[in-house]
Amino acid sequence: MSRSPHLSLQHREAIERCASVTVVSYDVALDLDVDDATFGSRTTIVFESTGAATFVDVKPVRLTEVRLNGVRLDPESWDRGRLTLHPQAGANELVVDAVMGFRSDGEGLHRSVDPADGRHYVYGMSFLDAAPSIFACFDQPDLKAPYTFHVRAPVEWTVIGNAPGTQVEPGVWELEQSQPLSTYFVTLVAGPWHAITTEHDGIRLGLTARRSIAGALERDAEEILTVTRQCFDEFHRLFDDRYPFGDYHQAFVPDFNAGAMENPGCVTLRDPYLFTSKVTRGAQCLRATTIAHELAHQWFGNLTTPTWWDDLWLNESFAEYMGNRVTADVTEFDDAWVRNAYQRRQWGLLADSGPTTHPVAGTGASDAVTALQDFDGISYTKGSSILKQLNARLGDDVFLAGVNDHFARHRFANATMHDLFNSWERAGAGDLGDVTQGWLRTSGVDRVTLDRHSGMLRRTPPTSSTEAALPRRHAFDIAAIAADGSWRREGVVLDDAASAVEVAPEEVVVLDAGETSWLVAQVDPASMERLAAVMPLLTDDALRASVWNNVRSSFETAVISPEDVLAVAVASIPGETNDEPLSLNARAIDSSKLLLTEWLITKVAPLSADPVAAVDALHAAYCTRLETAGPGSTVQHAAFRAAVETSSSTEDLELWLAGDLPAGISTDLSLRWHLLLRLACLGAVDRSSLDQHLAEETTAVSKVEHARAVASLPTPESKQWAWDRFVGAVDAPSYELQACGQGMWRPGQEVLTESYVDRFFDELPHTASVRSGWLLASAACWFFPLTSLTGETVARAEELARSESLDSSLRRQLVIMADEVRRRIAVRSEA
């Protein structure tokens, strides 16, 4: 077939096609036992038509045959992912027989080989534009239909999908007809999986993972299943409609781009959520909230689906809110909201403060590719915050009554924001125009500061907006902290430009303590001067999280200096009792998703006047906490990994690698690679040693960490090795590609990477020929030269972003990253 780019569905085209087509059913036969590169796909679509010309979406390697109502169509009518149809008025049957290609980018039908044992695994990710690379379809969210799958696979494989299936003969699987689904929910999970099954409340539950990590699945299964059962019970208590999709399977799959995908009946999750090494309680809580988030989607998104992507918040904001709420209410992770404050809030605030801010609802997504870019911190975190505010305003009874009315009216159908708000108004919510206009349809975030001289809280709206366009009412608490660490809470309502508040001159003031509104809280100078002294005295985890978000927001807006932040950190870390602010997350290379410790090490310290001294001061603080933490505790575990990350002593690192560890710390695969990574950054280990460690235990984890360590070596060869993977000269799975990007641009290695700054801008457009979809923009983020803090870097990024020939997702990513560089330059200039 032609290699010309596939067209992305336009919103206007979706409206026209929905008006002329009603899909009755899909019948899909897949032959996965052809070869490692392609598979057979035969799709039969029964649909009703007005008789208007339309098109079906299909992205094959080769079209074998197409028949409409028994008449063979010319394959030449296929163009850029679309097959033109001239259906008859009334009932139609379309049969598309094609050869499709397995993908390796986490989209479509992804096929991967486990490096631990050579076994092959397949899973489907149909999100947005990917479904047509598996089967022919009318690929838009408001053309729902039931699916029946027939699958041929290698005899040792198990096949799982959106509906229960049976192996009718060796290697042949028949899946029952599903409930009506949008195309982007359709999945298959096929391979020699290790599986666990059980039942709860009449629902068959399943877990699967690669055979090589079966031990991790067995160890974690009870915790995962317990959280799943508890969440099911709570959602069944909250919602009138029981879970309607039959079995509930959770498949932990490799190379997954997102955290998870809510496919009805068969949720897919990234398999690092199965812990092959020791992790923090924060990592366990993140997995629990992800499980709850995807289960919430079975109602918010799956049962009732947005009509178009400009209402994607009806999926993600609700799942984010309900996932955290239910996790905190009914599982052992009752601190989920506190951990969410550390893990997610800055992601949303930075997105809403930046040049690509957009409304929560009515995003203006003109096509599916544009919509993909709006799955960001605004759609998740800001939307969740607004829903939490709305629940507090309406009360649970009215809030849930409206939600349940919404589900009942649009069961297995599609709906819009207006449909939901009509349901709330029917439930007694009253006029919610201020919510839709001020919070959901107006982009940008207010900044709030304390003016001690006048005794006023002052609100500054986004510079691109006007006061008239922002009827936002902020209701939040301030915490006023005395010198002895005692504190009082005072409620504040701020719906004008300013509001009076009484605080004593010596009190440290924390704005939006408890984070009940959506705002950028800036620390006033008098509070900043005293914050390092009072922080060690605070024992309330929620208040400490709010303090850190006040500090982070103030730093990101260049109100305070790196030295101000470091003073608070060095004072706070030795007494920290929560592992969350001590934790690392290697996946979060996007600076807006950095956990606190990563943010301090990779962003704050490098911008200080003396980066080496700053990292050494952080190291001393983490070591102090390491010495006082309970042996074997997750706080000790997090403090030790942070101490490794900040160590400049190759002697200490080598002793730890040799097994001379603090009591309570034990060596495992993840920790060994963490030590090797730090040694690699310091140039204290060579490539051959890293290769040897990989050969000794070749697992998926080892492959990723080996890539991260090799790319981090301070040698020209290592940087070229990483670069080859970015430009596609060498193929690399997504996790390894991300690791290479993280290793490529290490602070302190600017002499080695200087020549790659220009190469990034020169060669970035070419990457659209080697990858697409989600991974295209992500790779641009991972490999952006964030250590090149110059006006020239900003100018080149903005110039390339204006190129209309460049893929739109790359243009947007360049705008975001240019803004990040500009922020860092502003912080450095203010320091």
Side-chain angles (χ1 to χ4, degrees), residues 337 340-341 345 348-349 352 381-390 392 438-439 444-448 457 459 471-478 489 492-495 511-521 546 549-550 553:
W337 282 114
N340 181 74
R345 189 166 177 86
L349 289 174
D352 207 20
T381 308
K382 180 180 181 179
S384 170
S385 179
I386 293 168
L387 289 171
K388 192 177 181 183
Q389 293 171 221
L390 183 60
W439 289 108
V445 57
D446 295 343
R447 296 184 186 184
V448 178
L457 285 175
R459 177 177 70 92
R472 291 173 175 167
R473 180 180 186 272
H474 295 279
F476 59 88
D477 290 344
I478 65 167
R489 187 186 299 270
V492 173
V493 174
L494 181 60
D495 50 12
L511 304 178
D512 195 16
E515 298 176 346
T516 57
S517 192
W518 185 254
L519 53 89
V520 168
S546 295
N549 275 321
N550 275 220
S553 289

Side-chain angles (χ1 to χ4, degrees), residues 600-614:
L600 291 169
I601 296 170
T602 66
K603 188 168 184 180
V604 178
L607 294 177
S608 66
D610 189 341
V612 173

Side-chain angles (χ1 to χ4, degrees), residues 9 101 120 167 203 221 275 385 440 443 511 676 690:
L9 182 68
H120 289 233
Q167 186 172 204
I203 302 167
F275 305 134
S385 179
L440 294 175
S443 61
L511 304 178
L676 287 167
L690 296 174

Side-chain angles (χ1 to χ4, degrees), residues 15 26 62 101 116 122 176 221 237 251 300 319 339 352 391 462 493 550 567 615 627 638:
I15 294 171
Y26 286 91
R62 182 176 68 256
V122 167
E176 298 174 11
R237 185 185 72 82
F300 293 104
R339 295 184 182 275
D352 207 20
N391 178 266
V493 174
N550 275 220
V615 173
E627 292 167 2

Side-chain angles (χ1 to χ4, degrees), residues 192-319:
W193 305 99
H194 179 75
I196 295 172
T197 59
T198 186
E199 186 174 299
H200 176 68
D201 194 20
I203 302 167
R204 187 171 179 266
L205 305 179
L207 305 174
T208 56
R210 291 176 288 122
R211 292 267 185 96
S212 65
I213 55 173
L217 180 63
E218 292 287 346
R219 285 190 299 272
D220 290 358
E222 188 52 41
E223 180 181 308
I224 293 169
L225 290 169
T226 295
V227 169
T228 303
R229 295 182 191 109
Q230 291 168 331
C231 292
F232 258 121
D233 290 345
E234 181 67 358
F235 284 124
H236 284 159
R237 185 185 72 82
L238 296 172
F239 302 147
D240 295 341
D241 226 328
R242 280 178 57 83
Y243 170 72
F245 296 105
D247 295 351
Y248 192 74
H249 200 89
Q250 295 174 93
F252 294 85
V253 300
D255 304 322
F256 203 63
N257 290 326
M261 180 63 198
E262 65 268 19
N263 317 301
C266 186
V267 170
T268 42
L269 304 96
R270 54 191 296 115
D271 62 12
Y273 278 136
L274 293 178
F275 305 134
T276 56
S277 296
K278 183 169 182 175
V279 297
T280 62
R281 179 178 165 86
Q284 292 176 279
C285 182
L286 178 60
R287 179 173 68 186
T289 56
T290 301
I291 290 169
H293 178 111
E294 303 311 318
L295 192 50
H297 269 310
Q298 306 308 311
W299 288 266
F300 293 104
N302 297 7
L303 180 66
T304 301
T305 308
T307 299
W308 180 247
W309 300 113
D310 58 354
D311 267 332
L312 65 89
W313 77 284
L314 294 171
N315 283 9
E316 299 305 343
S317 300
F318 269 96

Side-chain angles (χ1 to χ4, degrees), residues 17 26 43 45 55-58 131-132 135-139 147 183:
R17 188 162 63 173
Y26 286 91
T43 309
I45 311 174
F55 60 90
V56 69
D57 303 288
V58 59
F135 56 95
C137 56
F138 296 105
D139 189 25
Y147 287 77
T183 48

Side-chain angles (χ1 to χ4, degrees), residues 8 40 85 120 137 171 244 276 297 327 430 458 568 582 588 619 671 708 714 735 795 817:
S8 181
L85 303 177
H120 289 233
C137 56
T276 56
H297 269 310
T327 301
R458 300 196 182 278
V568 177
L582 304 175
H619 178 71
L671 184 56
R708 198 187 321 276
Y735 293 178
M817 301 310 289

